[in-house]
Amino acid sequence: MGWGPSETRGTGELVVLSQVCLPHYQGGRSFTLAAQTSAPEPEEASVARAGLKMQTLLNGAMQQLLKNN
């Protein structure tokens, strides 16, 4: 996980790369997750806004990845 203001892109950014292994969920699930979010302006408040966007993104992704088939 990485986060911070980007002067070159003029944004606050958050990046996540993770390998998830759930051996006992629905007979076993494993996946790699990579996500990036940003918000305008290279400042700490923008990093916080990017974090809120990331949480929303991950909530939706987990619902789709872990839904019962």
Side-chain angles (χ1 to χ4, degrees), residues 24-55:
H24 302 292
Y25 185 79
Q26 296 179 349
R29 303 291 294 272
S30 180
F31 51 90
T32 300
L33 180 70
Q36 185 270 341
T37 57
S38 64
E41 302 300 323
E43 55 192 36
E44 292 300 323
S46 295
V47 176
R49 287 192 298 277
L52 292 172
K53 289 169 103 176
M54 179 66 75
Q55 187 64 60

Side-chain angles (χ1 to χ4, degrees), residues 14-20 31-37 54 57-58 61-62 65:
L14 190 71
V15 178
V16 173
L17 177 59
S18 180
Q19 174 62 35
V20 180
F31 51 90
T32 300
L33 180 70
Q36 185 270 341
T37 57
M54 179 66 75
L57 178 69
L58 293 178
M62 291 301 104
L65 288 166

